[in-house]
Amino acid sequence: MLPISDHASFETIKKPQTPELLDRKNSPNKLNSVFLPIHYAHSRIWLLLTILSIQILLLFTLRSLPISLSLSHPRPSEYVQNSLSADPNRDQCGSGRIFVYDLPVTFNSEILANCDDLNPWSSRCEALANDGFGRSATGLVGIVPKQLASAWYWTDQFVSEIIFHNRVLKHKCRVLEPENATAFYIPFYAGLAVGKYLWSNSSAKERDLHCEMMLKWVQDKPYYKRSNGWDHFLTMGRISWDFRRSKDEDWGSSCIYMRGMRNITRLLIERNPWDYFDVGVPYPTGFHPRSDSDVTAWQRFVRDRNRTSLFSFAGATRGAVRNDFRGILLRQCNGTDACTIVDCAGSRCSNGTSAILETFLSSEFCLQPRGDSFTRRSLFDCMVAGSIPVFFWKRTAYYQYEWFLPGEADSYSVFIDRNAVKNGTSVKEVLERYSREEVRKMREKVIDYIPKIVYARPQEGLETVKDAFDVAIEGVLRRFKEQEEWGFKW
């Protein structure tokens, strides 16, 4: 705005002639000497008022325009950013976008093609069929609702690598150009690769071979070098301890201890609770919903079940284990009509059976002691059936699946210290103390979380319901975004 009090500015516009000069030109008219000073004073006032009016008019005009017009013009990149933020596809991928490495077939599809050789006892081809879901569970007809029978499979517990690979290829936030990615997925079937050698007389070199080759390949990529692996992740379809061999003569592979693996996030069915890069994801179960309606129909079915047993146990004793805790639980079950047992001696419960599902569907609670490791697939079979899990080790679930299970442990489960049971505490008496309302609330919480612990059948995922894969991917992308924002790297 022009400075109103700055008279010099007006002088530059038009300098009026002085009265003396006019008087000399018009000396015959003496009245001019009286009226001319007044005339020029009025002219100056009118000029001031006119300029002031123009400034006021401009002020109100500018205030009525968008703010952006009164600021400097944004750069072209700012226009692009604003237009993308309004794009619904961008909103869905606000946490990041995924690039899937095109690994050599040696690390995935070739392993599947050699499925006959992945097990020293029998072929695994049938178990790995149907995109990793296995055979259709035709034996469940009459146990599950007819319209849901085709959503059930005899799914192997070690196939998460295949499931994740197929799903990530169809993920809405996948990009084909690595420069547009914030996360990089390595489709290496680490568990299937090492599983071939775990029960044979194999050398440490054989057990490490695939992982060493994979790391050599990925470490040569520019985007790995850029981040040193911090924005990379993969699925390892076994428990963490199968990849943590310290000495050559010990069990498993040393894959996790290899230098190139250090900063890569690892999705495992059992994690090491003290390793930041290990993330526990649910064991695959037999239920693979095809739609949102499959999920709601199953939740309704398990909610309305008539449960005739107070608790159940599916498992077998460990004869070679001194003071085997499972043996204690089996003895307590055998001592009461309130418990139902499914004897899983040998391989009778491998990949689930109709007896296990039927038992869990009929039980209020299901006992979940540790298995060969701290976790068990049985936990997820139990919860999918709407039964309330009973834990004896906190590492069985509470320190494992934080993205997938409720944060309040007692809202969906019961914990009984194993040492108390060893000293004579009756599991039956503990469970009988829960009122019907308390049991109903816990079951409702279990049912609410069923979608988060199952893997959907469609490779594109379900319509609106988020399954275990969706939860895992969102968690990984969120983790990478937070790492960048916090600068949390070493």
Side-chain angles (χ1 to χ4, degrees), residues 59-183:
L59 176 63
F60 280 99
T61 302
L62 288 171
R63 290 185 65 181
S64 67
L65 292 174
I67 292 175
S68 60
L69 293 180
S70 64
L71 300 174
S72 60
H73 292 292
R75 296 184 296 275
S77 61
E78 292 174 324
Y79 283 121
V80 172
Q81 184 176 3
N82 290 336
S83 66
L84 285 173
S85 64
D87 182 353
N89 290 327
R90 182 175 176 81
D91 292 339
Q92 292 177 6
C93 303
S95 294
R97 298 178 185 273
I98 307 167
F99 177 77
V100 182
Y101 279 117
D102 186 16
L103 277 182
V105 296
T106 304
F107 302 112
N108 41 57
S109 59
E110 189 175 282
I111 294 174
L112 288 184
N114 295 321
C115 53
D116 281 324
D117 300 325
L118 294 181
N119 188 309
W121 303 291
S122 60
S123 170
R124 296 205 62 201
C125 294
E126 192 174 76
L128 305 181
N130 287 328
D131 298 325
F133 294 115
R135 290 184 298 114
S136 295
T138 53
L140 297 181
V141 174
I143 298 174
V144 303
K146 184 178 180 180
Q147 71 272 22
L148 295 176
S150 57
W152 282 85
Y153 297 80
W154 297 126
T155 302
D156 190 272
Q157 62 182 332
F158 299 126
V159 294
S160 57
E161 296 157 345
I162 306 172
I163 294 173
F164 271 79
H165 187 191
N166 289 332
R167 287 286 298 277
V168 77
L169 289 175
K170 297 286 187 178
H171 196 268
K172 62 181 182 292
C173 296
R174 181 194 174 195
V175 294
L176 301 180
E177 303 79 18
E179 60 270 19
N180 295 332
T182 53

Side-chain angles (χ1 to χ4, degrees), residues 411-440:
S411 70
Y412 76 98
S413 66
V414 173
F415 180 77
I416 306 174
D417 189 275
R418 61 192 176 281
N419 292 316
V421 176
K422 290 177 181 179
N423 291 328
T425 295
S426 167
V427 172
K428 175 176 176 288
E429 291 178 2
V430 171
L431 299 180
E432 285 177 333
R433 295 182 195 133
Y434 287 90
S435 67
R436 285 190 177 182
E437 180 60 16
E438 288 173 323
V439 171
R440 186 194 66 78

